[in-house]
Every structure is written in C-alpha cells, then in structure tokens.
Amino acid sequence: MVKQIILLLCATSTAFAQQAPVAAPKVVVLSQKKVAELALQQGYRTQEVNLEYQQKKLPFAETLSKYDFVLDAATGYELDKQAQQLNSQTLDPRNKIERYNTTFSLKKPFTTGTLATIELNRLSLNADYDVNLPQQPPSNQTLDRAGIILEQAILGNFFGVADRGTVNAAENNYKASEILRADDLENVVLESIRQFWTAYIAQENFKEAVSARDRYKQLVDTVRRKTSLGYSNPGDLPQAQAELETREQTVKLTSTEYLAAVENLLTALALDPKSEIKFEMSTMLPAMPSLPQKKTEDLRAIRSQKLKVQAAEDSLSASKSLSYPTLNVVGKAYTTGVGEKSEDSYSELTGGNRPDYYVGLRFAYNFGSDVQNERIVYNKLNRDLEQTRLSRQLVEVEDKNTQAERKAQAAYSVAQSAEKQKGFRERAVTELNRSYSQGRTDINNLIIALNNAFTAEVQYITAVGNYHIALNEWAASRDELIPDDNQSEDNK
C-alpha cells in the first residue's frame, strides 16, 4: 500500500512538472547603434574604465593636500613636586605646582611659497608654596598668548615657483588621463561592435549552413531518384551522401560558434545570458562617406601628450627651484596676557598691551648625496622623453587616420565585389542544377558550384561586417565615434 502511494505521488509530481509553464526567453533587439549605447551605459568594460580613471584622481588630490589647512590642538596636565626655591636647602614635600597647558594652531601653506600660522596658547598654574616664604607668589595664574607667524621662501622655492610647478604638473597629468578616457571608451565600443558583427556573421553562417544542408538533401533525393531509374553515373549517390554528411558537420560547428558568439555579446553588454538576440540589420550596403580633413593637433591623443609635455616642463622648473638652499624670511607677532584669573589674562591679551615682534631669516641646505642635481637630470630626461613621444605620435596618429580611411575604402570595394560574386555563384548553381537534372553535366561540377555558392555567401556577410567595422575604426581614429561633447560621464 505504501509503495502504491509513493508511486502515485511521484506520478502526480511528474504530471505537475510537465504542466508547469516554462518562461519564454527575453528577446533583445540589437542594432549596431543599440550595441554602442548599451556598451557605454552598462557594459562591464565601460564600468572598469570609468573606475580605473576615477582612481587617477588620487595623485592630484594628494598634491593639493599639501596646501590644506592644518589644525593642531593639544592639551595636558602636569603635576610638579620638584619645585624648590634657590635659597632653600631642603625641599618642602608640601610644595607642588599644577600646570594646565592648552595650545591651538592653524597652519596654511600657499603656492606662493608662504606658510601662515595662527597660534593660541593658555597656561594655567595652581601652586602650593612653602608657607615660610617671606613673599607668597599668587597661587593661581593664567598666561594667554596669541600670535601670527608668516614665513616666505625667497631662495629655494622662490615665491612658490616649485609649489606651482608641482601643482601644475599634477593637474596637467590628470587632465591628460581624463582626455584619454574617451579613447579607452572608444576601444570598448569598437570591441562591442566587433562582437556584434561576429555574432551576426555567425548567425548568418549557421543559416547558410542549414540552407546548404537542405540543398544537399534535395540533391541526394534527386540522385537517388535518378539512380533508381538508372540515369545516374556510378558513384553519384555516395558522393552526394558524403557531401551531405559534410554539411551536417558544418551545421553542428557553425551552431556552436553562433551560440558562443551570442554568449560573448550578451556578457559584454551585461545582458541576461538567457536572452534571445534578434538582429536588426539593413540589407543595404552604405556608401563610402566623404569626410573633411581632420587636424592632427586637435585629436585627443595629441592633446593629451601635449599636456604631459607641459607637466614634464613644470616638474623640471620645480626641481630647479628646489635645488637652491632654503632661505626664508620669518616674521612673528605675538600679544600676551597674564592674570590671576583667566578673565584678566584674556582681557589683557585682547588689549594688546604686551606685544612681541620678531623678524629673522631661516637657512637650510642639504648636501652630500647630490640628489638635487640628479632630480634635475631626471626631469630633463623625462621632458625629452615626453617630447619624443609627442613627435612620434604626431606621425603615428596621422598615419593611423590615413590607414583607417584606406582600410574602409578597401573594405567597401571588397563588399561590393563579394556581392557580385555571390550573385554569380548563385546563377552558376541554378544553371548546373538544371543541367545535372537533364543529365548534361557531372555531379562533381554541381557539388563544386554548391560549395562555392556557400563560401561566397559567407564571404559576402563577412565583407559587409568588415566594412562596418572599418567605418567605425575610421570614426574612432578621428575621435568621432565618441565626440568630446558626448563623453560618457562617471557611473554614479
């Protein structure tokens, strides 16, 4: 009885499983433009590029951080039982001094080579003195002190030459990297477009493989019928059947390639891997565009490299300025207040009755390692390196633009020729098929024609894809695939 119940439950669950509806895969319609938009909006590689370039903000921010406001505060308590009068031979253990010391300072370096500091200090004393002293000092006293300190570089880092050079170099390097981000995004779009065409070509190859297999099935039926009537040549049927098996193998291989290409495209665009792709394509071959000449100096790669050259010049200026000894003018202005009560000391402080002024020079010089000269040599070499790269890129970018245009023109001519070739191959198949049915041609000629027709169809689809890819590569070489005014912003 138990076994019967178990079998019944299993059968019921199987029936429900068979009746459960299977969700249809989501259909995604893709065109070349849609692929470019999705790649920029949500592609994994786009996210990686944006995140990588956001990380490049740190060196510039670290350079600017050297000119931040610096607030320093310290407070503490000190108990001193070693207080002893100079005229006393013994130390009264009852003597003690309690000190409360609080200090605030606010510093701000400027790119003019100036360091400004504001200081506030309060020292409070609570003392127990020897009762035998003839004159008892006040038990409680407060000392307030406030001042402004200005320090100006006048030799090394003369009025901030090195500071401004360092900041400008960091800023130019950051701007140069920001310009190149658009180029990296263009490469992402180009790769997505290539994957789009790879998937489309794989789909069309698969369709052509199926169509070729169907043609060979018809040929096998025709040969079998002629063989049964005694009209075929010896070996015609096995030969046709062998070619049919070849087409079966081709269908399996192209199916695998198509599925792999679709999966790669879905992954690149961050789409649901279970989605079904529908390609939105035009059968028309677009004409070769005529574009105006593009100035090489206006291209992003050149503008970025020019900023790097300027950054190297700024770093060289900074290193030359820092090679001199440090000689700074220092000026200090303080005011002091003293009283038994904190209110009295503060009132005296703000009254400015006890000013204290100081003007002087501060000199420092590092020697021994000769690192200053080595730093100058390094920055000179770096400047020469960046200038050499600029000269090379001026030629390479122009060559790249010319080659991209030439490649697009060649791809257009190949696609036109492939379209004509496809038509000729189809006409040959039609004529030879009719001739073979009439017994006027050998089956080998028909098989060769069928294979050539299949190859021509595949070559035409590939040529069209290569032409579209070449057009996009040409646009990318001109910085027109992602124009400057439409650069993708950081994903937020």
Side-chain angles (χ1 to χ4, degrees):
M1 182 65 179
V2 176
K3 291 183 178 180
Q4 293 176 350
I5 293 176
I6 293 175
L7 292 173
L8 180 62
L9 290 175
C10 292
T12 305
S13 62
T14 302
F16 278 114
Q18 293 175 349
Q19 295 175 2
V22 178
K26 181 181 179 181
V27 178
V28 179
V29 180
L30 292 181
S31 63
Q32 184 173 267
K33 180 180 178 181
K34 183 66 174 178
V35 166
E37 292 174 352
L38 288 175
L40 285 177
Q41 292 171 2
Q42 64 186 45
Y44 292 121
R45 281 292 299 129
T46 297
Q47 298 179 38
E48 291 176 14
V49 168
N50 286 330
L51 292 173
E52 287 171 359
Y53 276 90
Q54 288 178 31
Q55 289 179 326
K56 295 186 179 182
K57 293 179 181 179
L58 180 60
F60 182 41
E62 287 178 336
T63 302
L64 294 180
S65 69
K66 297 177 182 178
Y67 307 94
D68 286 344
F69 286 92
V70 180
L71 177 63
D72 189 10
T75 184
Y77 166 76
E78 180 183 1
L79 175 62
D80 184 3
K81 290 188 177 183
Q82 301 298 320
Q84 180 179 7
Q85 299 299 320
L86 294 176
N87 59 356
S88 176
Q89 300 297 322
T90 61
L91 179 64
D92 191 335
R94 293 173 299 173
N95 289 359
K96 69 175 182 179
I97 298 177
E98 295 178 311
R99 298 184 182 91
Y100 299 89
N101 195 353
T102 302
T103 302
F104 289 94
S105 68
L106 181 63
K107 298 180 180 181
K108 177 67 171 75
F110 295 90
T111 55
T112 56
T114 307
L115 175 62
T117 305
I118 299 176
E119 287 186 354
L120 297 174
N121 177 259
R122 166 166 287 185
L123 176 61
S124 299
L125 281 79
N126 185 6
D128 292 337
Y129 297 106
D130 188 349
V131 296
N132 296 322
L133 291 175
Q135 292 183 351
Q136 289 285 335
S139 299
N140 297 305
Q141 283 185 304
T142 299
L143 172 65
D144 286 333
R145 186 172 173 82
I148 298 176
I149 303 173
L150 293 177
E151 187 170 349
Q152 178 63 53
I154 59 173
L155 186 55
N157 189 28
F158 175 75
F159 283 92
V161 171
D163 289 333
R164 291 190 295 276
T166 302
V167 171
N168 291 338
E171 183 179 10
N172 286 329
N173 280 323
Y174 176 65
K175 288 180 178 179
S177 66
E178 276 295 291
I179 291 175
L180 290 181
R181 179 174 65 164
D183 281 356
D184 285 349
L185 291 176
E186 275 189 336
N187 293 332
V188 171
V189 172
L190 276 176
E191 184 59 30
S192 300
I193 290 174
R194 291 189 187 101
Q195 290 180 321
F196 167 77
W197 280 103
T198 298
Y200 176 73
I201 291 171
Q203 173 190 269
E204 295 303 306
N205 287 348
F206 172 65
K207 289 181 178 178
E208 287 301 317
V210 173
S211 176
R213 182 189 61 182
D214 293 340
R215 282 186 171 184
Y216 273 103
K217 284 183 178 180
Q218 295 177 359
L219 178 61
V220 169
D221 292 339
T222 301
V223 175
R224 183 179 288 113
R225 185 171 57 256
K226 293 182 65 175
T227 301
S228 64
L229 297 175
Y231 295 148
S232 65
N233 296 322
D236 282 0
L237 182 57
Q239 199 169 356
Q241 290 173 330
E243 287 296 329
L244 176 59
E245 292 301 324
T246 300
R247 294 305 138 191
E248 291 284 358
Q249 297 170 20
T250 304
V251 168
K252 295 296 183 183
L253 293 175
T254 54
S255 172
T256 302
E257 293 174 357
Y258 166 61
L259 293 175
V262 168
E263 290 169 352
N264 292 337
L265 180 59
L266 291 173
T267 300
L269 301 179
L271 296 172
D272 186 357
K274 297 181 180 179
S275 301
E276 179 182 340
I277 291 181
K278 181 180 179 182
F279 294 96
E280 189 178 66
M281 300 295 299
S282 173
T283 57
M284 298 294 295
L285 190 65
M288 181 70 185
S290 177
L291 301 178
Q293 188 69 24
K294 188 83 172 184
K295 290 184 178 180
T296 306
E297 291 77 8
D298 295 338
L299 297 177
R300 283 190 290 260
I302 302 303
R303 289 191 283 119
S304 175
Q305 187 58 35
K306 285 183 176 180
L307 287 174
K308 290 181 180 179
V309 172
Q310 184 59 50
E313 291 280 2
D314 294 331
S315 296
L316 178 58
S317 298
S319 63
K320 288 181 178 179
S321 180
L322 291 175
S323 66
Y324 294 100
T326 298
L327 181 61
N328 295 351
V329 176
V330 181
K332 300 180 182 180
Y334 283 94
T335 180
T336 307
V338 181
E340 295 187 20
K341 296 181 179 180
S342 60
E343 295 85 355
D344 297 337
S345 64
Y346 180 74
S347 177
E348 190 173 294
L349 174 74
T350 55
N353 297 324
R354 295 187 178 185
D356 180 9
Y357 302 104
Y358 168 84
V359 176
L361 296 175
R362 186 172 68 85
F363 177 83
Y365 181 61
N366 294 347
F367 58 92
S369 65
D370 199 29
V371 68
Q372 296 91 344
N373 290 331
E374 289 299 325
R375 188 178 291 115
I376 293 175
V377 171
Y378 172 83
N379 284 289
K380 281 183 178 178
L381 294 173
N382 187 55
R383 179 200 59 186
D384 295 342
L385 175 62
E386 296 299 341
Q387 288 178 341
T388 303
R389 286 173 176 168
L390 176 60
S391 301
R392 172 178 56 83
Q393 289 186 11
L394 283 170
V395 180
E396 288 183 349
V397 167
E398 187 172 354
D399 290 343
K400 182 180 178 182
N401 195 0
T402 303
Q403 292 166 6
E405 181 180 3
R406 190 183 301 130
K407 181 179 178 181
Q409 291 173 343
Y412 180 59
S413 299
V414 170
Q416 288 181 315
S417 176
E419 186 176 20
K420 295 177 181 178
Q421 184 185 41
K422 184 186 68 167
F424 294 145
R425 295 295 188 190
E426 285 294 333
R427 188 186 307 171
V429 168
T430 302
E431 294 177 359
L432 288 172
N433 195 21
R434 186 185 309 113
S435 176
Y436 178 76
S437 299
Q438 298 172 353
R440 294 185 295 107
T441 188
D442 188 74
I443 193 173
N444 287 328
N445 295 332
L446 179 57
I447 290 175
I448 292 173
L450 287 171
N451 293 341
N452 289 338
F454 171 74
T455 302
E457 188 68 35
V458 172
Q459 288 176 344
Y460 171 69
I461 298 169
T462 303
V464 172
N466 290 338
Y467 173 56
H468 281 277
I469 293 173
L471 286 178
N472 285 280
E473 290 176 345
W474 185 22
S477 70
R478 296 168 55 89
D479 291 344
E480 294 174 355
L481 189 60
I482 301 180
D484 288 334
D485 55 344
N486 292 327
Q487 288 183 16
S488 177
E489 298 295 332
D490 297 344
N491 290 348
K492 299 183 179 178

